[in-house]
């Protein structure tokens, strides 16, 4: 094991990881065509069964207090953040992985440890739980116990390389989890919805004063703050509109349209008609929606937290404001919707930045280069890189 002679690699995940798992697996398959992927979803291996309920309840209560057991929803929220669940998952994964020789193992997220002695192992994550504590609403993500945090540390330290979606999280893995910097690499990510490189932008939308929000969690993504800001904005821009996609808050207000959840492929039409994209999120490891917005040339207004400043250049492709500051949010939105030419400029800059740094193809190549070296695999035949650079806009860019 670990010599590169095995004929497969293991891909271990939980669910969709905001649709990222499908993209990452496709990239690894494309770059290691001689290796057969074995996909293991931890959610399918039944880590805990009914007979484990008493032990699990004791674990939740001892690590998080009796309040964590007060309701079924609270209890379920804490199950996977217990030492008991983590150790059970690790035992079952090691049993499953020991049945076959793998060239390498690769897991997404750090909710479990799929490392195997003697096999190169890689972790790809968008967050760490200690980094969550720096957000204005750390409770938006389940807080972890001291014992679980130590197990999370082992996930990173047991990995041959920890890949991250942002430089912010790469720093966290090194500084907060004491991992050697040479074993941590930021490879970024791609988006789930993106415009074709040569897609034209209808510049008439920049005069429409249509603010777009896309998010499944209204509270955590800062929806109430945006609604307050929108009310302030309407005092000076009564024709401004707000479109809410992905969630269905109970709002009945002039100028606000609640679309709710839509199929992923239908989200593109909302980006194409948006003047500004706004997500004043309070807890955000990365924010793939910012990549989506920029790929359609939409300027962004967001909160200055996490890795958002790696995507949004304040004053160049959008504006960053402090969390919970509805007045600053309204001011930044106003500066854009009253200046269509600036919206156009910001959108072009954001689109180029995303094309140069953030694509699943580029992330896949970064992953494969490092995996090939560490796992000592035979050199790959490099596929010809597609031209995924954003083409020069076919509409005049305001200066």
């Amino acid at each position: 094991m670990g010599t590169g002679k095995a004929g497969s690699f293991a891909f271990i995940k939980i669910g969709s990881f905001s649709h990222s798992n499908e993209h990452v697996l496709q990239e690894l398959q494309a770059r290691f065509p001689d290796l057969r992927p074995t996909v293991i979803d931890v959610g399918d291996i039944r880590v805990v069964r009914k007979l484990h309920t008493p032990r699990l309840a004791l674990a939740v209560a001892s690590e998080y207090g009796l309040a964590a057991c007060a309701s079924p929803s609270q209890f379920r929220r804490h199950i996977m953040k217990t030492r008991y669940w983590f150790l059970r998952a690790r035992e079952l994964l090691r049993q499953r992985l020991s049945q076959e020789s793998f060239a390498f193992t690769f897991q997404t997220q750090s909710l479990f440890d799929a490392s195997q002695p003697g096999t190169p192992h890689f972790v790809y994550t968008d967050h760490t739980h200690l980094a969550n504590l720096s957000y204005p609403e750390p409770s938006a993500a389940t807080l972890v116990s001291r014992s679980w945090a130590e197990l999370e540390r082992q996930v990173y330290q047991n990995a041959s390389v920890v890949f991250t979606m942002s430089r912010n999280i790469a720093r966290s893995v090194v500084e907060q989890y004491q991992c050697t910097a040479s074993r941590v690499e930021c490879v970024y990510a791609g988006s789930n919805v993106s415009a074709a490189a040569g897609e034209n932008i209808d510049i008439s939308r920049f005069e429409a004063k249509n603010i777009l929000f896309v998010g499944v969690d209204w509270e955590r993504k800062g929806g109430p703050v945006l609604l307050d800001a929108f009310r302030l904005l309407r005092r000076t821009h009564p024709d401004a509109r707000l479109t809410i996609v992905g969630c269905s808050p109970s709002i009945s207000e002039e100028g606000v349209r609640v679309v709710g959840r839509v199929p992923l492929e239908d989200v593109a039409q909302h980006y194409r008609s948006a003047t500004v994209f706004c997500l004043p999120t309070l807890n955000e490891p990365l924010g793939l929606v910012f990549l989506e917005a920029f790929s359609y040339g939409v300027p962004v207004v967001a909160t200055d937290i996490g890795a958002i400043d790696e995507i949004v250049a304040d004053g160049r492709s959008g504006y960053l404001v402090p969390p919970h500051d509805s007045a600053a949010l309204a001011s930044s939105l106003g500066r854009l919707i009253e200046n269509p030419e600036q919206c156009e400029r910001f959108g072009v800059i954001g689109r180029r930045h995303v094309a140069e740094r953030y694509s699943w193809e580029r992330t896949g190549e970064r992953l494969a280069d490092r995996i090939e070296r560490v796992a000592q695999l035979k050199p790959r035949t490099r596929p010809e890189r597609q031209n995924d650079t954003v083409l020069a806009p076919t509409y005049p860019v305001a200066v």
Side-chain angles (χ1 to χ4, degrees):
M1 296 174 68
T3 64
K5 298 179 180 179
S8 64
F9 69 90
F11 186 85
I12 310 99
K13 65 187 183 74
I14 293 182
S16 71
F17 188 22
S18 299
H19 303 286
S20 296
N21 282 329
E22 178 183 352
H23 293 289
V24 175
L25 179 58
Q26 287 177 349
E27 294 299 330
L28 293 177
Q29 287 179 279
R31 284 160 179 75
F32 299 107
D34 296 333
L35 297 178
R36 173 179 54 84
T38 297
V39 181
I40 302 172
D41 193 319
V42 179
D44 295 335
I45 64 176
R46 299 185 67 185
V47 174
V48 292
R49 302 169 185 264
K50 186 174 291 187
L51 63 89
H52 300 123
T53 301
R55 291 282 302 276
L56 193 57
L58 179 62
V60 171
S62 62
E63 292 184 48
Y64 298 100
L66 291 176
C69 304
S71 67
S73 61
Q74 279 279 9
F75 181 69
R76 288 192 296 270
R77 186 183 183 193
H78 289 84
I79 285 176
M80 291 176 58
K81 302 294 176 62
T82 61
R83 184 178 178 85
Y84 180 75
W85 186 94
F86 187 101
L87 295 177
R88 280 275 305 162
R90 186 169 68 182
E91 177 185 1
L92 293 174
L93 282 171
R94 287 185 173 176
Q95 290 175 6
R96 170 65 183 84
L97 293 168
S98 66
Q99 298 172 10
E100 187 177 348
S101 178
F102 295 105
F104 63 88
T105 53
F106 187 103
Q107 76 173 67
T108 56
Q109 299 178 280
S110 51
L111 301 172
F112 53 88
D113 184 357
S115 63
Q116 285 279 86
T119 301
H121 179 63
F122 305 91
V123 174
Y124 180 49
T125 186
D126 67 336
H127 80 291
T128 69
H129 285 89
L130 292 180
N132 281 344
L133 300 178
S134 66
Y135 298 129
E137 292 292 337
S139 60
T142 306
L143 297 179
V144 298
S145 65
R146 185 186 299 266
S147 59
W148 196 93
E150 179 54 37
L151 292 172
E152 184 194 10
R153 186 187 309 275
Q154 292 179 23
V155 172
Y156 304 130
Q157 295 185 342
N158 288 342
S160 304
V161 178
V162 178
F163 296 113
T164 69
M165 288 188 177
S166 69
R167 297 193 302 269
N168 176 58
I169 295 304
R171 285 193 298 270
S172 174
V173 175
V174 173
E175 296 173 4
Q176 297 181 291
Y177 293 85
Q178 291 76 54
C179 285
T180 306
S182 61
R183 292 194 300 106
V184 180
E185 181 175 349
C186 174
V187 295
Y188 302 107
S191 63
N192 297 317
V193 178
S194 59
E199 179 172 335
N200 292 337
I201 301 298
D202 179 5
I203 63 174
S204 65
R205 64 181 180 173
F206 296 128
E207 298 182 355
K209 297 186 178 181
N210 181 26
I211 300 162
L212 176 64
F213 171 100
V214 178
V216 298
D217 189 332
W218 176 248
E219 298 285 337
R220 180 169 73 89
K221 301 293 184 176
V225 182
L226 173 57
L227 185 58
D228 287 344
F230 182 71
R231 289 166 178 158
L232 293 174
L233 181 67
R234 293 265 295 185
R235 295 176 184 175
T236 52
H237 297 276
D239 53 344
R241 294 178 292 129
L242 172 61
T243 302
I244 300 169
V245 177
C247 57
S248 300
S250 299
I251 299 172
S252 179
E253 189 157 342
E254 187 176 356
V256 179
R257 178 189 175 207
V258 179
V259 177
R261 285 181 178 265
V262 297
L264 195 60
E265 58 271 18
D266 292 346
V267 178
Q269 63 178 313
H270 296 288
Y271 286 120
R272 289 190 178 102
S273 60
T275 305
V276 179
F277 179 77
C278 184
L279 193 83
T281 180
L282 304 175
N283 184 301
E284 197 70 48
L286 180 66
L288 296 180
V289 288
F290 300 121
L291 308 182
E292 296 171 3
F294 275 147
S295 82
Y296 287 93
V298 187
V300 169
V301 177
T303 37
D304 190 7
I305 64 170
I308 297 176
D309 65 353
E310 298 177 26
I311 303 173
V312 182
D314 188 30
R316 295 190 67 247
S317 60
Y319 292 118
L320 297 176
V321 302
H324 294 295
D325 194 335
S326 56
L329 195 63
S331 175
S332 294
L333 289 170
R335 291 166 68 185
L336 283 171
I337 67 171
E338 67 190 16
N339 191 336
E341 292 80 10
Q342 183 162 291
C343 285
E344 181 186 339
R345 284 198 303 271
F346 279 19
V348 168
I349 293 170
R351 196 178 189 205
R352 286 175 174 161
H353 174 60
V354 164
E356 291 167 359
R357 176 179 289 178
Y358 297 96
S359 75
W360 286 118
E361 181 183 10
R362 292 175 186 276
T363 292
E365 195 62 24
R366 295 174 185 123
L367 289 170
D369 282 349
R370 189 69 180 270
I371 291 171
E372 179 184 277
R373 296 196 305 271
V374 173
Q376 299 180 12
L377 301 173
K378 65 179 181 180
R380 296 175 295 121
T381 300
R382 297 297 198 272
E384 289 187 16
R385 180 179 293 281
Q386 297 178 358
N387 182 12
D388 59 353
T389 301
V390 169
L391 302 179
T394 57
Y395 55 92
V397 178
V399 295

